[in-house]
Amino acid sequence: MSLTGVIGGILTVGGVLFLLLGTLGLLRFPDVYTRLHAQPKADNIGLGMICLGLGVYSGSLSLTLKLLLVWLLMLVATAVGAGLIARAALRRGIRPWGL
Amino acid sequence: MGAPGLAFDGILGAALLWTAWQAIHAAGLFRAVVSFMVFGLLMALAWVRLEAPDIALAEAAIGAGITGALLLSALGRLDWEAGRATDECLRGRDRAFWVPTGLLLLAGLGGAAWLLPAPGLGEPVAAELGRSGVENPVTAVLLNFRAWDTLLEIAILLLGVVALWSLGPTPWPSSPELVSPALPMLGRVLFPAFVLVSAYLLWRGSHAPGGAFPAGAVMGAGGVLMLMAGARPWLSGDVHGPWRWALALGMVAMLGVAFAVMTGGHGFFEYPVELAGRLILLLELAAGLSIALLLFALYLGGEPPADWETRRPA
């Protein structure tokens, strides 16, 4: 197997691990704020590693840049979405866990 | 396609059935709506697996995106008591009726798929593609061979908006419900990207997957984002009201072209071969703009006021 194949594979599998951990946090953490702490961040890293891994695996620079553009858009959308969910929860009067 | 592909398709099919079941039978409207959106995304993936990227694009943009946003927005306006009452209805639904009906439908669809001629209509379309004016067979079917169907699809969207607006004023408040500094920023940063992607999809439609419907859906979603960020549309009243004619632009342009070619001695929607490419581009542009505005207008949920600032509370 070529070097790009190995690096791409390692990055992709690592990304999937981050997604799994983020999902674990979503399932196991006690309230909406702690879940927001776990899931969007882990997903962002996981998606970034998968995009980069697939790009490296393809060996094409233009495809890699397109995948990274997808990642960039997702970064912005996830950050704003997570902030909006937290704001909506606060406005509804949901108190953070342990407070 | 090897064993991994087959396994993937099997999981995808099972997940589709599961999310479809959840969308109908989930023990809560919110879960049902989210299941429906996941179903739309998985459906788009299934279309990709079937090598139909055009339908995948439309399904992801319209099925999962715009329809999901519409459902969520409707859900947000239900009061919680009404939502719970509906939950009871959903749980209490009679399975003795739905299981046999579903099986019957499945058997019917299976039978229809079995009886269909094997290569479908792909060969006749490929044979006539040279005279259609475009290189993408899907666009050729949508805007040339079966332009009549597309006209009716746009007419249905227009009728939907007319019906919705006639029901009453929009429930949207004059200022955003959730004040967040991030959302207007996101709108400002991303709206140019929405316009760019939409124009790209429109232009791409003549030679590759894309076209008026995905382009319109992307643009409509951009409008919905701006609406949530606090922008208020002006589609009624004396000053900005004429903009609402753009809602009918697609249908008017298609009917205009269909009748105009008749004056040249051709049939209804029978484009002259040498003009077909340009006519299709024109129709795509008109239809794309109009679809974007129509989807956006549907999302308003009612007629927007002539003046957002001074309107009476609904």
Side-chain angles (χ1 to χ4, degrees):
Chain A
M1 193 186 259
S2 67
L3 186 64
T4 52
V6 173
I7 296 173
I10 290 172
L11 279 170
T12 311
V13 171
V16 170
L17 279 178
F18 269 100
L19 291 187
L20 276 176
L21 286 174
T23 310
L24 191 68
L26 181 74
L27 292 174
R28 297 297 300 161
F29 277 2
D31 75 341
V32 60
Y33 306 105
T34 46
R35 285 172 189 168
L36 280 176
H37 165 76
Q39 212 244 346
K41 281 187 275 185
D43 267 15
N44 279 342
I45 296 191
L47 185 69
M49 284 175 75
I50 289 175
C51 286
L52 196 63
L54 291 177
V56 170
Y57 187 77
S58 74
S60 146
L61 183 65
S62 71
L63 195 65
T64 312
L65 289 178
K66 276 182 207 168
L67 285 167
L68 288 180
L69 185 66
V70 169
W71 181 54
L72 201 69
L73 286 171
M74 280 299 292
L75 274 184
V76 180
T78 314
V80 174
L84 283 177
I85 292 173
R87 263 171 200 275
L90 267 178
R91 210 183 59 157
R92 218 179 234 191
I94 300 175
R95 292 172 67 85
W97 179 68
L99 283 180
Chain B
M1 185 175 62
L6 210 59
F8 182 80
D9 289 347
I11 294 171
L12 188 60
L16 271 172
L17 285 176
W18 173 245
T19 47
W21 179 261
Q22 283 289 307
I24 301 168
H25 284 270
L29 284 179
F30 182 72
R31 277 185 68 174
V33 169
V34 172
S35 302
F36 178 78
M37 292 170 79
V38 176
F39 173 80
L41 286 176
L42 291 176
M43 198 67 215
L45 206 54
W47 286 118
V48 170
R49 290 292 298 168
L50 291 169
E51 293 174 20
D54 296 84
I55 311 176
L57 270 175
E59 175 66 40
I62 299 174
I66 290 274
T67 316
L70 270 175
L71 288 173
L72 277 181
S73 151
L75 195 61
R77 297 188 197 292
L78 286 178
D79 59 35
W80 281 98
E81 293 309 311
R84 261 192 219 113
T86 325
D87 291 356
E88 294 299 320
C89 292
L90 279 178
R91 250 199 302 274
R93 183 120 332 143
D94 193 4
R95 286 185 187 184
F97 172 73
W98 285 109
V99 172
T101 312
L103 287 177
L104 203 66
L105 197 67
L106 206 62
L109 282 175
W114 189 262
L115 291 173
L116 275 178
L121 289 169
E123 276 178 28
V125 169
E128 295 292 323
L129 195 59
R131 292 174 57 227
S132 73
V134 287
E135 292 156 43
N136 181 21
V138 176
T139 307
V141 171
L142 283 182
L143 283 163
N144 195 341
F145 306 146
R146 299 297 307 170
W148 171 244
D149 296 349
T150 309
L151 175 71
L152 292 184
E153 280 168 26
I154 295 176
I156 285 173
L157 272 178
L158 186 61
L159 271 178
V161 170
V162 169
L164 201 65
W165 282 25
S166 65
L167 287 176
T170 174
W172 281 82
S174 300
S175 53
E177 289 167 82
L178 194 63
V179 182
S180 151
L183 205 49
M185 185 281 295
L186 185 72
R188 272 198 298 275
V189 170
L190 282 191
F191 195 71
F194 274 100
V195 176
L196 189 67
V197 169
S198 177
Y200 172 67
L201 282 172
L202 204 61
W203 166 78
R204 205 178 125 93
S206 65
H207 57 87
F213 272 93
V218 168
M219 195 70 189
V224 170
L225 177 67
M226 293 309 280
L227 190 66
M228 286 195 282
R232 290 293 174 257
W234 303 92
L235 288 167
S236 50
D238 295 332
V239 185
H240 303 281
W243 280 106
R244 70 180 179 276
W245 285 101
L247 291 169
L249 182 67
M251 205 177 131
V252 170
M254 290 195 82
L255 277 177
V257 166
F259 284 116
V261 291
M262 284 175 85
T263 61
H266 296 270
F268 190 68
F269 268 128
E270 189 188 325
Y271 313 138
V273 176
E274 67 277 6
L275 281 179
R278 276 177 228 168
L279 282 178
I280 288 177
L281 190 65
L282 182 78
L283 289 185
E284 288 237 66
L285 199 61
L289 275 174
S290 159
I291 288 167
L293 261 177
L294 285 167
L295 292 173
F296 175 67
L298 277 176
Y299 196 72
L300 276 173
E303 189 184 3
D307 188 348
W308 285 91
E309 300 297 326
T310 59
R311 73 164 179 162
R312 290 189 305 272

